[in-house]
Amino acid sequence: MIRKLAVGFSVVLALVACGQIEDTEEVAPQPEEATTPAADPEILDLLLVTGSDGRVTVIDPDGTLVRELRGPVGSGHPSLQPTWAPVSLDGRRIAAWTELGDDGAFSIALGDVDTGETTRYPAPVAPFYYYWSPDAALLAFLGQNAFSPLEMGVLDYRRDSVEIIATGQPFYFDWRPDSRAMVTHVGEALSLLTLADEAWSSEDIPIRAGQFQAPAWLSEDRILIVTPDSPGSVQVSLGVAGNAQFHNSAPQRLILSDLETGSVLTLAELEGAAIFEPDPTSKWVAVYDFSGPLRVFDLAGGGETVVSESEVAAFEWSPAGDRLLFMEVDRQARALKPRVWDGNDTLVFPSFIPSRVWVVQYLPFWDQYSRSLTLWSPTGEAFTYPGMSSRSGEDQIFVQHLDESHPITVGKGVFASWSPVPREQVLGS
């Protein structure tokens, strides 16, 4: 991610093994295992949890174990970044993750939350990031083999096919709402990948990319990207893990580009490399750049609101787009401070030391992950995060209800995400 944010967490990493946060957590009761998830797969209220031992589980927000999708396998056979499908597939709720077999081969695993059955597809690369299409028929992934650049592949769930469709590094992208195209930011280039007649084609977008990571769609024609504010090439160093490490910051613009008409609208002036996220209803966009602060822009009528003057590591909109969760960096305590802004006021919650997995694998690329997973509950009344327990020193999954002053501990784990709200449900609300 942006160098400033990565550097901001060097102090956090140093104290991952030290419990210096106030002991404020509460432990949720641990009922007996449930045998089935919620009846309606479209409105599940469940957490998908990654264990330090490779375990993949689905739990209720109160800590009840709903389904073990993969048992413990040890550090040599990790389950990489389990990700919810955004809607049910043929009436089934699915989660995807990466498995490494005893033969050294990687596979893409799709686990059925209702039955516990797992279907595996041989992977041509080692996938480390998953992003389902909005209709969940296609699963895009980024992966890499030794001494090769990053590659993007697509698993077509209904055709049982896996193919590589693009190559490059760094690689960031976003699905178009109709699930038939993606906008990509690869190196210094912007492109449109389009699916027609079961074949992918690529078309260059004639806009010079600035210093940013993940682009974002607002509608089927409009995209959000960053472009330089002055002539000159953009200097990008290609990191092995796909992390865009930017050189000296320079003035930039966050723009709204209509790919159909070619029109361009400047939304914000920026001081340097930036991350941004539109809310699910495309009414607002949250933006953070080198100089700060964290700002929210009204995409309809203009206007700007400063949400936080502090250093911010990550932020994400609630499913309805009416609240913004953000994590401020507490350098003195070397921790994160969760905050929720509702358009007027900001709720403040206890600081925590994040899990090492979240710091190393997720936070440096959080703008990309915010496109494909959510920490928010479907109702927008709670959020989850992985942190170190001040009691045991182990990584735990916490749930923070907005009407409670302290989080509850719902189980062990190094990362968790909440079951997403289908896009059509958000737009229809």
Side-chain angles (χ1 to χ4, degrees):
M1 184 180 271
I2 298 168
R3 186 186 302 274
K4 178 179 178 183
L5 301 189
V7 170
F9 276 97
S10 61
V11 290
V12 178
L13 280 171
L15 286 194
V16 164
C18 302
Q20 296 187 3
I21 304 302
E22 179 184 359
D23 188 356
T24 57
E25 65 200 63
E26 300 176 11
V27 181
Q30 303 296 312
E32 296 298 320
E33 178 178 350
T35 56
T36 58
D40 187 346
E42 292 295 332
I43 52 174
L44 286 183
D45 185 12
L46 299 172
L47 295 170
L48 182 63
V49 178
T50 310
S52 60
D53 55 3
R55 189 192 309 258
V56 179
T57 56
V58 176
I59 68 172
D60 189 271
D62 68 2
T64 306
L65 177 63
V66 173
R67 180 73 64 190
E68 184 176 81
L69 296 177
R70 190 189 192 199
V73 289
S75 59
H77 299 271
S79 302
L80 297 179
Q81 303 184 5
T83 307
W84 287 106
V87 295
S88 63
L89 290 168
D90 303 324
R92 304 160 59 209
R93 192 66 180 202
I94 302 294
W97 63 89
T98 298
E99 291 186 1
L100 175 62
D102 293 332
D103 58 356
F106 287 91
S107 61
I108 302 169
L110 301 186
D112 189 317
V113 175
D114 294 278
T115 66
E117 297 178 355
T118 299
T119 304
R120 295 174 176 83
Y121 301 84
V125 293
F128 60 82
Y129 172 73
Y130 291 107
Y131 186 0
W132 290 90
S133 61
D135 65 3
L138 302 171
L139 176 62
F141 59 89
L142 296 177
Q144 190 172 29
N145 289 324
F147 310 110
S148 67
L150 297 183
E151 296 183 274
M152 171 194 269
V154 173
L155 165 62
D156 188 322
Y157 170 79
R158 295 193 169 95
R159 294 175 56 217
D160 287 338
S161 68
V162 179
E163 62 176 325
I164 299 297
I165 64 171
T167 302
Q169 194 170 321
F171 203 121
Y172 301 95
F173 67 102
D174 192 28
W175 277 100
R176 198 166 69 185
D178 67 356
S179 301
R180 307 302 292 177
M182 290 178 270
V183 58
T184 68
H185 178 203
V186 183
E188 300 178 13
L190 298 168
S191 301
L192 182 67
L193 291 176
T194 305
L195 178 63
D197 299 325
E198 299 182 352
W200 289 92
S201 61
S202 178
E203 176 184 359
D204 293 339
I205 297 175
I207 299 176
R208 192 157 60 93
Q211 297 177 351
F212 77 106
Q213 293 188 156
W217 289 94
L218 284 184
S219 65
E220 293 193 4
D221 296 321
R222 301 181 302 158
I223 59 172
L224 283 173
I225 52 177
V226 169
T227 187
D229 197 30
S230 58
S233 62
V234 177
Q235 300 297 318
V236 179
S237 173
L238 308 184
V240 173
N243 186 4
Q245 296 292 336
F246 300 107
H247 291 266
N248 295 332
S249 61
Q252 300 198 119
R253 294 177 295 149
L254 174 67
I255 66 170
L256 173 59
S257 175
D258 190 312
L259 299 183
E260 181 67 24
T261 65
S263 64
V264 172
L265 174 66
T266 297
L267 299 175
E269 300 292 340
L270 308 171
E271 295 299 324
I275 57 177
F276 54 87
E277 183 188 2
D279 86 283
T281 65
S282 298
K283 295 178 181 177
W284 316 89
V285 59
V287 184
Y288 184 81
D289 64 13
F290 259 152
S291 65
L294 174 62
R295 297 176 287 173
V296 169
F297 292 88
D298 184 343
L299 292 173
E304 168 188 341
T305 301
V306 174
V307 176
S308 175
E309 297 279 3
S310 301
E311 183 177 1
V312 173
F315 49 91
E316 187 169 42
W317 290 99
S318 63
D322 57 349
R323 297 183 175 109
L324 181 66
L325 167 67
F326 58 99
M327 301 285 179
E328 293 182 345
V329 177
D330 185 340
R331 285 185 170 271
Q332 183 175 2
R334 295 178 171 87
L336 295 182
K337 301 185 294 184
R339 305 287 185 258
V340 173
W341 178 74
D342 65 3
N344 295 300
D345 301 315
T346 298
L347 298 175
V348 177
F349 299 101
S351 301
F352 68 97
I353 296 177
S355 71
R356 182 180 178 86
V357 166
W358 195 23
V359 171
V360 174
Q361 296 182 15
Y362 289 85
L363 280 177
F365 316 97
W366 188 253
D367 54 334
Q368 181 67 67
Y369 280 103
S370 68
R371 310 284 189 264
S372 57
L373 59 82
T374 182
L375 302 179
W376 281 98
S377 69
T379 63
E381 298 298 329
F383 60 89
T384 185
Y385 59 82
M388 190 183 72
S389 170
S390 58
R391 290 193 177 97
S392 65
E394 296 179 307
D395 287 332
Q396 303 276 2
I397 303 303
F398 296 89
V399 167
Q400 176 69 65
H401 294 274
L402 301 190
D403 59 357
E404 299 289 341
S405 60
H406 297 102
I408 60 171
T409 306
V410 297
K412 296 180 180 180
V414 296
F415 190 75
S417 63
W418 226 301
S419 49
V421 177
R423 178 180 175 83
E424 60 271 16
Q425 182 175 324
V426 172
L427 298 179
S429 60

